[in-house]
């Protein structure tokens, strides 16, 4: 218990157990009978890890109390994930710039308590502002355009805003956002909250700080230089590229699919393709019927989900920075560059190895989960791989097989969600905290590769 | 044209074009009509890359002349692959120990002509000895046990010995080795040639040298120390592990499958599972009906094929050393070791990056090939991924979709076979030959990972 970062998996576990207990209360279900332990556990893990995969329909199975518990688990889980990721960033980088150099790692390699308090406040502020704005827009839309009752409109607005900002993908309608596929107000508002939550706290803080500086400069009050960190530049570029790929991919591959985009007008097709393309990063709402997507769209979505969103946010996956670093390492290697650089900054060898470790452990986890579910169920690779990637990357998109999974496969999905969420943080924390020193060195020897 | 290693892709291309031309001659087909250019090209690429995927049945479509062309392409292709891989090893390592230090890289970073001559002789000797022994055993078995005519027995023995040692997976029977599934003589002889060819020339040379030393020491004539290189130790351990995994996997997953192991007795089941387990490394004969394998066996085989065999042999895939290095890098990273070591030897950072590059380019190639074929055909992911991995890793196992592929998908398979075979060698050669020197360095900056 040397270090707070070590507590992250334990804290998540405690939250999951508390959530499971609450969801097993008879008052948590619509019909007043206690939920089975596996159903409660699955739902709690899915909520805490902000995934959104479900074995029962959220809106009809759980009571108002049950839905409130799910909402709270999502909110606490999402907050914890941003907090853990950001603290880890401080540990890895030695410091994280938030307004000047507010957060710093002290000499004994822990984070100062005052810094943690500031961080909690800033994350809470960002969360409340984005969620409130989202909830207000959604509630008015539900009330005015769809004629929901006032209380219902507010509750649906709050629930979906929490689910969106935390990239949790839970919906109160059984068909997620499919009923709103042609509504730009609902789907674009949700998409915006998803993107802001998923791009990561460090990027948001830097963007806000630079916006403030630009405003100050614009009003002639200062001459602060607008500088973007390497982390923000990589995350922003990759997020833009992946959004474009998702948009183009869904539009091209589904344009004529009669079960998805086919029946829509051209404008609605473009809207629906854009919104669908934001979800693999890694929100998990679906405005289209996932089980009707073409196999090649599923494969594209597998790739987008696995890559995921930005670090230290509510998104899952191996993260866009990890993917970008690996691409740059390979590109440098092919060109025979002596070191790995991006945007004029060299990437330390430890960071390269860390990216490799996260990506390949992800591949291993998905492969093992897929194998277990295939052996257990006999479903085809298309759908099982999709569900495994969706669980590992805490996305929550589903071709519909999850409610039909036997217990062993449900447990495999639970484990994938847990290690997808906590595993990478735990591994990264271990890397940051426990660099062994050798008092001797080994002679080098090169085995042949390729 | 600075360096012979750069010529490798060009040499393969020339051989492929010559083979395509010969196979398009009317005399090459059984019915005397010229084969279509795509059929001839596909067959030539499959033979030269020692893959074994076919769009037409080798035994019935091609004439005796056509089969001889295929045999020659396999033999020349396999020899070229061993040669290119070994030369690359010399370039990468600066030297390769064959009897003392026979092969050395000279000062101007090319290999001495005398060394190349010695190498050609040694590879030819190993090839001839192993193929002759295999052919003799098989020919006698076909003649005596199966009652083939004398000429037919010899021709089948020679063809299958060439295909085995070169891991080419071509067969003269339409059902490959399925007719011999319970025959230990045929299947174990083929498996032995496959393993010897696929483990790589450097390992074989070292094993022979150390066997000679051990014999000398045993007879009291010398005190030479038996030392194994890191390369040989990694390759041997990984090959053993993967053979065991393949054996156990096929036995467990197919034991009760009525279309594969199910109908066999227990002993035959074990024999068939062992032989089937050797083929993904990367021979491509099938003693079981691949299209009847369970989806989970296909997935396991995907993984085994992708990893492949030893470098500088006739096997494909990313190679067992590449896989082992990545595993060790990750393990070291998780444990927080300051450097990456295996068997008491440190692995240089360039070698780690090289392994990463080869593996991830492989993933990218397979993913793109799979996507193209899925968009083009509508086959499911199970079978398309299997075919794409089989092509990239030059394995030749098939669920049977290859003959049904439309032209665009056939071309995708051709490209996968070509880059699977030549791409890694070309990339590795580029790495070895073209390390740029920077006259300046970039400041370091760490983006967040995970
Ligand atoms: K999610
Ligand atoms: K092969």
């Amino acid at each position: 218990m040397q270090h707070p970062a070590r507590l992250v998996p334990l804290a998540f576990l405690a939250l999951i157990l508390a959530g499971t207990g609450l969801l097993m209360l008879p008052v948590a279900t619509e019909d007043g009978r206690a939920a089975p332990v596996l159903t409660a556990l699955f739902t709690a893990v899915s909520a805490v890890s902000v995934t959104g995969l479900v074995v029962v329909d959220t809106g009809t199975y759980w009571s108002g109390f049950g839905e409130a518990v799910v909402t709270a688990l999502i909110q606490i889980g999402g907050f914890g994930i941003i907090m853990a990721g950001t603290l880890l960033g401080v540990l890895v980088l030695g410091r994280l710039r938030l307004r000047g150099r507010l957060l710093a790692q002290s000499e004994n390699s822990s984070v100062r308590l005052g810094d943690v308090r500031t961080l909690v406040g800033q994350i809470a502020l960002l969360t409340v502002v984005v969620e409130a704005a989202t909830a207000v827009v959604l509630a008015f839309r539900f009330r005015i355009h769809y004629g929901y009752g006032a209380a219902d409109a507010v509750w649906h607005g709050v629930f979906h805003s929490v689910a969106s900002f935390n990239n949790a993908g839970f919906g109160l309608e059984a068909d997620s956002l499919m009923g709103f596929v042609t509504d730009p107000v609902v789907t674009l508002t949700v998409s915006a909250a998803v993107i802001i939550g998923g791009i990561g706290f460090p990027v948001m803080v830097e963007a806000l700080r630079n916006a403030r500086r630009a405003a100050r400069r614009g009003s002639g009050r200062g001459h602060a230089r607008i500088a973007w960190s390497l982390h923000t530049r990589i995350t922003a570029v990759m997020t833009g590229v992946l959004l474009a790929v998702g948009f183009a991919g869904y539009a091209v591959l589904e344009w004529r699919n009669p079960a998805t985009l086919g029946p829509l007008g051209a404008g609605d097709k473009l809207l629906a393709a854009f919104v669908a393309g934001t979800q693999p990063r890694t929100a998990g709402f679906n405005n289209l019927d996932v089980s009707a997507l073409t196999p090649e769209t599923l494969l594209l979505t597998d790739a987008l989900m696995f890559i995921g969103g930005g670090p230290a946010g509510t998104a899952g996956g191996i993260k866009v920075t990890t993917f970008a670093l690996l691409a740059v390492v390979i590109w440098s290697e092919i060109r025979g560059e002596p070191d790995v650089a991006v945007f004029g900054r060299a990437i330390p060898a430890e960071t390269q190895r860390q990216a490799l470790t996260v990506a390949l452990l992800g591949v291993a986890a998905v492969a093992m989960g897929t194998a277990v579910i295939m052996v257990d169920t006999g479903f085809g690779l298309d759908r099982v791989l999709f569900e495994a990637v969706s669980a590992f990357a805490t996305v929550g998109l589903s071709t519909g097989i999850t409610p039909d999974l036997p217990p062993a496969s449900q447990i495999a999905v639970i484990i994938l969600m847990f290690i997808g969420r906590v595993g990478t943080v735990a591994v990264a924390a271990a890397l940051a905290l426990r660099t062994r020193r050798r008092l001797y060195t080994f002679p080098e020897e090169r085995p042949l590769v390729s």
Side-chain angles (χ1 to χ4, degrees), chain A:
Chain A
M1 220 233 66
Q2 214 175 338
H3 204 283
R6 298 249 170 94
L7 291 176
V8 169
L10 287 179
F12 273 89
L13 211 54
L15 184 58
I16 286 167
L17 293 180
T20 306
L22 288 172
L23 289 174
M24 285 178 71
L25 297 176
V27 68
T29 62
E30 200 72 63
D31 65 5
R33 284 186 301 192
V37 59
L38 192 55
T39 302
L41 176 66
F42 193 101
T43 306
V45 171
S46 185
V48 170
S49 66
V50 297
T51 301
L53 287 173
V54 290
V55 285
V56 293
D57 177 43
T58 309
T60 55
Y61 185 86
W62 302 110
S63 66
F65 172 79
E67 289 168 20
V69 170
V70 169
T71 313
L73 292 177
I74 291 171
Q75 186 62 79
I76 302 171
F79 184 88
I81 287 155
I82 302 178
M83 188 74 197
T86 308
L87 280 179
L88 178 67
V90 178
L91 292 172
V92 170
L93 305 185
R95 58 159 196 23
L96 199 69
R97 285 216 227 115
L98 307 171
R99 289 206 234 152
R101 56 180 309 268
L102 212 52
L103 286 177
Q105 192 181 358
S106 69
E107 287 68 28
N108 58 10
S109 135
S110 67
V111 181
R112 292 199 214 107
L113 193 60
D115 287 349
V116 173
R117 278 204 206 109
T118 312
L119 192 58
V120 169
Q122 291 200 333
I123 294 174
L125 185 65
L126 179 72
T127 303
V128 168
V129 168
V130 176
E131 287 185 0
T134 308
V136 166
V137 173
L138 291 178
F140 272 101
R141 185 71 175 174
F142 289 141
R143 178 85 184 97
I144 294 167
H145 192 79
Y146 294 96
Y148 286 29
D152 221 29
V154 169
W155 172 231
H156 276 67
V158 169
F159 185 93
H160 284 99
S161 78
V162 172
S164 302
F165 175 76
N166 291 291
N167 276 17
F170 278 89
L172 291 177
E173 339 291 336
D175 64 355
S176 189
L177 298 185
M178 284 171 62
F180 306 103
V181 63
T182 60
D183 181 351
V185 176
V186 168
T187 57
L188 290 181
T189 303
V190 165
S191 295
V194 159
I195 293 171
I196 291 172
I199 206 165
F201 180 68
V203 171
M204 284 307 298
V205 167
E206 198 171 328
L208 293 173
R209 186 188 64 213
N210 281 345
R212 206 156 39 221
R213 281 193 191 169
R216 221 176 302 156
R217 185 195 292 186
S219 64
R221 273 190 290 142
H223 297 275
R225 202 173 55 88
I226 306 295
W228 296 98
S229 70
L230 181 61
H231 173 77
T232 293
R233 282 184 288 172
I234 293 178
T235 306
V237 168
M238 284 302 301
T239 300
V241 167
L242 293 176
L243 287 174
V245 169
F247 176 35
Y250 271 86
V252 169
L253 297 173
E254 298 294 326
W255 196 265
R256 288 194 169 75
N257 185 340
T260 59
L261 295 183
L264 305 177
D268 285 341
K269 281 180 179 178
L270 292 176
L271 170 68
F274 175 78
V275 172
T278 63
Q279 299 304 316
R281 185 151 318 78
T282 56
F285 293 106
N286 57 294
N287 59 337
L288 302 173
D289 180 2
V290 176
S291 68
L293 294 173
T294 66
E296 47 268 31
T297 308
L298 290 182
L299 192 64
L300 171 70
T301 309
D302 287 339
L304 293 174
M305 294 193 297
F306 187 78
I307 297 170
T314 54
I318 62 168
K319 305 298 175 324
V320 294
T321 46
T322 306
F323 180 77
L325 283 187
L326 292 178
V328 171
V329 168
I330 290 172
W331 183 239
S332 308
E333 188 69 354
I334 291 174
R335 307 217 335 143
E337 305 281 356
D339 47 32
V340 174
V342 54
F343 292 135
R345 289 283 180 279
I347 308 296
E350 311 94 87
T351 307
Q352 297 175 33
R353 274 207 301 272
Q354 201 182 333
L356 170 66
T357 304
V358 168
L360 291 191
L361 285 179
V363 170
V366 169
M368 279 190 281
T370 302
V372 166
I373 299 172
M374 284 179 80
V375 170
D376 189 38
T377 63
F379 284 120
L381 180 60
D382 297 76
R383 305 179 84 185
V384 173
L385 177 64
F386 189 91
E387 222 76 6
V389 173
S390 179
F392 168 77
T394 67
V395 181
L397 293 172
S398 172
T399 64
I401 67 173
T402 290
D404 300 331
L405 292 178
S409 292
Q410 283 193 27
I411 291 168
V413 171
I414 288 173
I415 293 172
L416 278 175
M417 291 191 288
F418 188 78
I419 62 176
R421 190 78 267 178
V422 177
T424 49
V425 174
V427 166
L431 306 185
L433 301 177
R434 186 176 52 158
T435 296
R436 298 183 179 198
R437 307 242 167 264
R438 275 228 184 87
L439 299 177
Y440 52 95
T441 56
F442 290 121
E444 281 195 351
E445 191 171 340
R446 297 159 193 244
L448 292 179
V449 161
S450 91

